[in-house]
Amino acid sequence: MKLYFLRHGETSWNRKHKVQGRTDIPLNDYGRYLAKKTYEGLKDTKFDLAYTSPLIRAKETAEIVLGEREIPIIDEPLIQEMNFGVSEGICFKGDGKEPGGDEFHKFFVDTANYKVPEGGESVPELLERVGGFFDHLSKNKELENKSILISTHGAALKAILNHIRGIDSVAGFWGEGVPKNCSVTEVEVTNGTPKIISEGKIYY
């Protein structure tokens, strides 16, 4: 099984450093450009099917990257972005930083001391959610010879890769940092055992 994990393209909220989470923000023009460049980079890659987060920024990215390929595209809620509860919509960084921004920014720079916003999801809950999706997928005998595109989000993708590596530390969640928009990570699964072949490749 070949898995190609894809983070969605840029949105206006990415550019403004606003907390997105489950808020359904579409790609901006630059995000669509990144997806088109990624399509060009992957145009010779065979895909048998695709899973995508139901959020529009991930779905649109998947559709652009797949281009003319006529394959099943499956909405998968388990790979949608982390829920940030009442913090969604605030600017957490830069000139427009809003009240609560410093506290939320700990999610990226001091994850061990990040306080889950009201109505939000914790890092262990995220790891359990996406880990369950990955384990079920990687053990699916019907898909063991398939090539699959999986379009998701920054924190969700990082959690999947941490799950593959067996990393459950909240403090070390981000490791080398947030995956870039439209970055592609290839994972090969053999007899249910995954191996990361390449990580964070960009085509722009």
Side-chain angles (χ1 to χ4, degrees):
M1 184 187 300
K2 285 279 189 72
L3 305 175
Y4 294 82
F5 289 96
L6 170 70
R7 186 190 173 198
H8 64 79
E10 186 187 84
T11 72
S12 62
W13 279 26
N14 285 144
R15 182 161 292 193
K16 295 175 182 176
H17 304 295
K18 295 181 73 170
V19 182
Q20 284 185 118
R22 301 289 175 84
T23 307
D24 210 4
I25 305 300
L27 298 178
N28 60 19
D29 287 343
Y30 185 62
R32 295 184 185 97
Y33 165 79
L34 298 183
K36 289 173 184 175
K37 295 297 286 186
T38 306
Y39 159 78
E40 292 171 9
L42 295 174
K43 64 183 179 181
D44 295 325
T45 301
K46 176 180 178 290
F47 294 115
D48 297 296
L49 71 156
Y51 288 93
T52 178
S53 156
L55 297 173
I56 190 169
R57 58 191 185 270
K59 290 186 70 172
E60 186 177 3
T61 301
E63 289 166 356
I64 293 171
V65 170
L66 288 171
E68 67 281 356
R69 298 175 180 89
E70 295 183 0
I71 64 170
I73 302 176
I74 303 165
D75 279 9
E76 179 47 76
L78 290 176
I79 58 171
Q80 64 186 320
E81 185 55 299
M82 194 171 181
N83 186 348
F84 297 116
V86 297
S87 287
E88 296 196 6
I90 70 168
C91 178
F92 64 89
K93 182 180 175 184
D95 294 339
K97 185 170 63 178
E98 296 175 312
D102 285 335
E103 184 61 37
F104 181 82
H105 198 212
K106 289 181 182 178
F107 177 61
F108 296 105
V109 299
D110 186 15
T111 314
N113 291 308
Y114 169 68
K115 295 179 181 177
V116 179
E118 180 183 345
E121 185 177 21
S122 69
V123 171
E125 287 170 335
L126 171 66
L127 287 165
E128 181 178 5
R129 169 164 63 84
V130 301
F133 162 79
F134 182 82
D135 289 345
H136 179 75
L137 178 67
S138 63
K139 292 175 173 58
N140 188 332
K141 292 292 186 181
E142 295 180 0
L143 300 178
E144 63 183 356
N145 295 315
K146 302 298 186 182
S147 181
I148 304 170
L149 181 72
I150 301 172
S151 184
T152 183
H153 306 263
L157 174 54
K158 197 69 179 184
I160 290 169
L161 298 179
N162 286 351
H163 177 76
I164 291 171
R165 292 187 167 109
I167 298 172
D168 58 9
S169 165
V170 174
F173 178 78
W174 286 110
E176 298 300 315
V178 183
K180 292 183 178 181
N181 290 113
C182 279
S183 61
V184 179
T185 294
E186 183 180 349
V187 175
E188 190 168 67
V189 181
T190 304
N191 297 322
T193 301
K195 179 181 180 181
I196 298 172
I197 303 300
S198 65
E199 183 173 355
K201 187 172 183 178
I202 54 175
Y203 293 92
Y204 54 88

